[in-house]
Amino acid sequence: MTLNSQVIYTKPPTEFPVVGETVKISKSTIDLDAPLPEGDILLKNLVLSVDPYMRGRMRDPAIDSYAPAFEYDSVLTGDTVGLVIKSNNPKFSQGDLVYGRTSLGYFEEYSHVKGSYADESYVVRNDPKTNGLPLSYYVGVLGMPGLSAYVGLKKYGRPKSGETLYISAASGAVGQIVGQIGKALGLYVVGSAGSDDKVEYLKELGFDGAFNYKTENIDAKLTELCPKGIDIYFESVGGSMLEHVLNHANNFGRIIACGMISQYNTQNPYGVRNLLYIVTKRLAFDGFIIMDKENMVYEEEFIKTCTQWLLEGKIKYRETIVDGIENTPQALLDVLKGRNFGKQVVQVTSF
Amino acid sequence: MTLNSQVIYTKPPTEFPVVGETVKISKSTIDLDAPLPEGDILLKNLVLSVDPYMRGRMRDPAIDSYAPAFEYDSVLTGDTVGLVIKSNNPKFSQGDLVYGRTSLGYFEEYSHVKGSYADESYVVRNDPKTNGLPLSYYVGVLGMPGLSAYVGLKKYGRPKSGETLYISAASGAVGQIVGQIGKALGLYVVGSAGSDDKVEYLKELGFDGAFNYKTENIDAKLTELCPKGIDIYFESVGGSMLEHVLNHANNFGRIIACGMISQYNTQNPYGVRNLLYIVTKRLAFDGFIIMDKENMVYEEEFIKTCTQWLLEGKIKYRETIVDGIENTPQALLDVLKGRNFGKQVVQVTSF
């Protein structure tokens, strides 16, 4: 028997998750030599993706939402990269790298994955064996966050060269890609983030303007940095930030609602008071979830395009990688508090 | 010289317009026998349309919005039907009925309209001379309100047979048409209004459900009357009503934002706290203004279709008609307070 550390979700937190309590590490054992039933696979997990949306799954299962509630006292799931160490499934071969995606990969050192679950939740991603890109990119810039940026901006943003794009949480897993794609499309790109070094990073990426929303006056900075108003807002924050943006939105502006992190961990959601602008400015405010089928159809096209961009150095990607599965609960809390810089990833072990 | 009663807007009200103060009647004179400069026309106004959106034009002109602010101490403008009593413009003949539209018709008994303004703001509508439909329909069901219902529902609502459509302000100038078109498209249609007789009227129109939002528990009634949730919301109210609807919206729901009357006359706009549903339910929340070119292109198609519906009795239309231009300020206040029943119109004089 082999020791198997697992990330366990116990129950919904009141506001922020509590490390060691609502999300904790547990040790179990697994028999890596037991015969595998037909269809099943055995994985050694290498990389875990820690993302803000996961907070939404930590809820009473009676509350319906786009992603099912996490089961109480169970192994947490999310996006992962793993190595197939044994397979009794024709779709997977020993030695394959696999992406456990749309929030269904297991957060543990080793996973025995049942056949139907494997077919539904894991896809082979052997490219990083040869192209030199880090495995972690496959849960970030080349995974759901990158795809969210690509689909969100192109499909819901309907960008036209010369327009102003504003991105909140701009140095995050999704925002930094949105901004770089925006620049490539000829947009004037402005972003905000929660520390001066994040703001510096945005400027390095070629953003036309960037500011620290925690230390600066948001309204004044939007006036200064978006002198022609905001045509496209990539929304990941919600609350008062959204209210500010509505004040600065141009007629026929688009709001691409990818998330609202300010509203995830609170018992007192913020009341947005200027929605009348949606009418008077004829705004289009579209929510989307990348894991919907209609959006996932862009996945292969996106991976091909974005891999090329990365290899050519056209797109950069900043990550915070923490070593060791035992640090996953804290990493999740850090993401929800904005303490990460770029995409937050946990390296379970190296390839 | 002929006496000419005019509706004068003086200055922005703090909350609701004040009759006799911020909107008042003034008497001037006009020389109907004076020679008309080339391009000009002389109108006898017959019908004035009193609409909620007019409140939005009563603002500090420094505040930009889709429709220009009304000029202080000037004749109010809006949608009108008038009779050409003299013309020196090849587009208009003596005896023509004209529609002064997209909020540009003058609110006075007689109007001397300059050539370029006439070309821009007035169109000939001689159909009611022969089809027997009331003139008032041409500022209502066949005017901007009817067109708003048609374009809003079809273009932004993307209705599919069997879906649930909910309409706030459902007995109003726009809402009653939305509901009837919705029924014709095979939707399950529910509406709310502010009195029991309005609710009765909605049921007479064939609505599948209707309730009085002032006396009933909105949440409980939406649960009861929209058991499958809300797929399309035709939004004219905003504020807390919007918050309730977001709670009841289905995944991939559409919110057609035509107006938000609850937010027009207040210094304390309501803060909507559950916009996170726009993301998690992947809602499309689209504001639109009927007078935009991209929407006005539907005008002729709509008038043709809707005239036929009215003549065949497929669409009914309820109006509140008040006689005498001197009652216009009060009629406007009544509309903003929801005291009208159906489309509010002022009959200046008969044809």
Side-chain angles (χ1 to χ4, degrees), chain A residues 129-191:
Chain A
K129 289 181 183 173
T130 51
N131 66 17
L133 294 175
L135 284 191
S136 54
Y137 276 20
Y138 285 79
V139 296
V141 58
L142 292 167
M144 293 302 110
L147 188 59
S148 296
Y150 183 79
V151 172
L153 185 59
K154 293 194 89 160
K155 182 172 166 188
Y156 299 98
R158 303 187 297 277
K160 288 186 284 287
S161 178
E163 287 189 322
T164 296
L165 164 67
Y166 172 62
I167 307 160
S168 56
S171 72
V174 179
Q176 54 181 320
I177 304 302
V178 176
Q180 293 176 85
I181 297 177
K183 284 305 298 175
L185 295 173
L187 301 176
Y188 181 89
V189 178
V190 175

Side-chain angles (χ1 to χ4, degrees), chain A residues 65-66 242 252 257-260 264 269-273 275-276 278-280 282-287 289 292 294, chain B residues 65-66 242 252 257-260 264 269-273 275-276 278-280 282-289 292 294:
Chain A
S65 190
Y66 68 95
L242 173 58
F252 305 104
C258 182
M260 293 191 183
Y264 294 170
Y270 185 90
V272 175
R273 294 161 296 183
L275 295 174
L276 181 52
I278 292 178
V279 182
T280 61
R282 303 82 137 180
L283 305 178
F285 191 169
D286 284 286
I289 298 292
D292 286 331
E294 64 191 74
Chain B
S65 188
Y66 69 95
L242 173 58
F252 305 103
C258 181
M260 293 190 183
Y264 295 170
Y270 185 92
V272 175
R273 294 161 296 182
L275 295 174
L276 182 52
I278 292 179
V279 183
T280 60
R282 302 82 137 179
L283 305 178
F285 190 170
D286 283 286
F288 83 104
I289 297 293
D292 286 330
E294 63 192 75

